[in-house]
Amino acid sequence: MELGYTIGRLTRTRADLTKYWSFCIQWHNAEGKRQRYSLGTTERAEAEAMARQVWASMQTAKGFETVGDYVTAYLDLLPEGRDEKRKREAWRAAKPFWAGIRPSLVDAEMCLAYEQKRDRSAHTMRHELGLVKRALAWGIREGHLDKAPEVVLPPMPEATVDHLTKAQFRKLLDGCVASHIQLFAMLAVTTGGRKTALLQAKWDQVDLDRAIIDLNPKRRTQNGKYRATVPLNDMILPVLREAKESAMTDYIIEYNGNPCLDIKKGFAAAAQRAGIKAHPHMLRHSAAVWMAEDRVPMGEIAALLGHRNINITTRIYARYHPDHLRSAARSLSW
């Protein structure tokens, strides 16, 4: 049976100029021009299976007329994984608005109407509209659309940092009636750890003699939410020693003899008693801001927070460094 496509090799060059390859599906369009689509694998058997799926989706997509048709076809081509799952979640939210709309009707005004209807954050809107944009761009690349629709994403918002001053943090501690909430708060600002990492942390991750804590538990593979190994300062060490002596579980944060699954309600109650607005993640931001205000280098702040890209740290927290842009400002004299 004539398949209409062949499987070949597609070679590309990385940013560091090294070359890599993967199998691809290749065919000729109506104009006789060769088209190729990477299958993202170097295993022949896997490539053949993927090629059949890709080709079937492409043939079906030729008759598609709506945004929903293109997004569905695009999603079906994605390899299973975290990114594919996130895109499908985005489409579930966007589908009621976009599914029946023809690509020729998509413009800036329609994108704005969608933003107003959804009324979500700029980040969420960029994610959902970005999916529509990528799916329609795929339609262009594959020759199913003649003109690229105008999918306009909202601009990236200015990074904001909700954090507590040290005076506000002391007030928060005064509002912590429950000992596990107080322990969490103190551990959060002295390690910069995320809420989930701290609630999952066990005593075998703490070395009190060396004064360090490894926020990444055993058998957990590091991912985008990188968990660092950080030193423990002289304020938190005696608190941890006391907590360990009375511990009833393997977990650092425990409640009534059981691991603490969440501290949202207890934390909210403490903040209300303290008369301040606060949520658990603000403590991570507070740790970073305090370090920046104390002139700690951005590289060290990034390492403690577990940021693999120092540019992220700099973009969010550099403004709190007392010397931020001072040398640049001094040069602007006459």
Side-chain angles (χ1 to χ4, degrees):
M1 182 179 67
E2 180 66 34
L3 293 176
Y5 68 87
T6 59
I7 295 176
R9 290 191 178 193
L10 180 62
T11 302
R12 291 176 174 169
T13 304
R14 296 188 176 92
D16 61 2
L17 302 182
T18 60
K19 293 185 180 297
Y20 67 101
W21 70 274
S22 64
F23 282 113
C24 70
I25 180 174
Q26 53 191 20
W27 69 99
H28 289 84
N29 62 19
E31 290 76 33
K33 183 178 179 181
R34 186 176 67 163
Q35 304 285 308
R36 293 189 295 176
Y37 183 90
S38 174
L39 298 172
T41 180
T42 57
E43 297 293 332
R44 180 77 190 195
E46 184 180 9
E48 291 177 351
M50 292 178 64
R52 288 191 292 270
Q53 180 183 0
V54 169
W55 186 250
S57 296
M58 287 179 174
Q59 299 313 298
T60 304
K62 288 181 178 178
F64 283 8
E65 298 180 348
T66 66
V67 171
D69 295 333
Y70 283 100
V71 175
T72 300
Y74 170 74
L75 290 174
D76 287 343
L77 293 175
L78 297 177
E80 291 185 5
R82 183 180 179 187
D83 183 61
E84 180 254 358
K85 183 178 179 181
R86 288 184 70 245
K87 284 183 171 61
R88 289 192 181 278
E89 290 172 352
W91 179 235
R92 278 195 289 272
K95 186 176 180 179
F97 184 94
W98 292 104
I101 293 176
R102 292 180 178 273
S104 60
L105 300 177
V106 177
D107 57 16
E109 187 176 349
M110 183 169 288
C111 294
L112 180 59
Y114 175 67
E115 291 179 44
Q116 293 172 341
K117 182 177 178 63
R118 281 281 286 146
D119 192 24
R120 296 294 190 273
S121 71
H123 288 289
T124 299
M125 291 297 91
R126 286 179 64 85
H127 180 51
E128 294 173 5
L129 286 170
L131 170 62
V132 173
K133 187 171 185 174
R134 281 187 289 271
L136 295 178
W138 170 81
I140 293 289
R141 291 196 304 271
E142 305 307 325
H144 308 315
L145 282 172
D146 297 326
K147 181 181 178 182
E150 186 182 12
V151 181
V152 180
L153 278 59
M156 282 289 291
E158 180 68 23
T160 57
V161 181
D162 291 331
H163 68 281
L164 301 178
T165 65
K166 291 187 177 183
Q168 289 174 324
F169 180 71
R170 289 191 291 269
K171 288 180 65 176
L172 176 66
L173 289 183
D174 290 338
C176 292
V177 174
S179 59
H180 70 292
I181 300 297
Q182 187 178 72
L183 176 58
F184 170 86
M186 289 189 286
L187 194 60
V189 294
T190 52
T191 65
R194 298 178 179 87
K195 181 181 76 169
T196 300
L198 298 179
L199 294 181
Q200 292 176 351
K202 296 182 178 181
W203 287 111
D204 63 3
Q205 295 170 235
V206 182
D207 188 331
L208 293 174
D209 294 329
R210 296 171 59 206
I212 59 173
I213 179 171
D214 182 355
L215 294 175
N216 194 52
K218 297 176 181 178
R219 293 180 294 279
R220 175 187 177 270
T221 302
Q222 293 280 19
N223 54 28
K225 301 290 186 181
Y226 187 85
R227 300 185 186 180
T229 297
V230 301
L232 300 167
N233 67 24
D234 292 339
M235 291 196 74
I236 194 63
L237 271 175
V239 176
L240 286 174
R241 288 194 176 99
E242 183 178 351
K244 187 174 184 180
E245 289 178 0
S246 59
M248 300 178 66
T249 71
D250 294 333
Y251 291 83
I252 299 173
I253 310 295
E254 59 180 24
Y255 178 64
N256 283 344
N258 294 295
C260 183
L261 301 180
D262 202 356
I263 45 85
K264 185 176 180 180
K265 290 183 178 179
F267 192 93
Q272 185 176 25
R273 281 190 292 269
I276 59 176
K277 292 183 178 181
H279 55 80
H281 197 69
M282 283 177 68
L283 301 183
R284 176 173 165 85
H285 285 315
S286 300
V289 170
W290 294 358
M291 286 186 285
E293 290 176 336
D294 207 28
R295 292 183 168 84
V296 174
M298 286 294 125
E300 290 188 30
I301 298 176
L304 189 136
L305 294 178
H307 288 171
R308 290 178 171 178
N309 186 346
I310 192 176
N311 292 330
I312 295 174
T313 316
T314 302
R315 177 174 62 85
I316 300 174
Y317 301 113
R319 74 190 78 169
Y320 296 100
H321 195 291
D323 299 328
H324 181 52
L325 300 180
R326 293 290 179 187
S327 60
R330 280 194 295 270
S331 70
L332 303 176
S333 59
W334 57 92

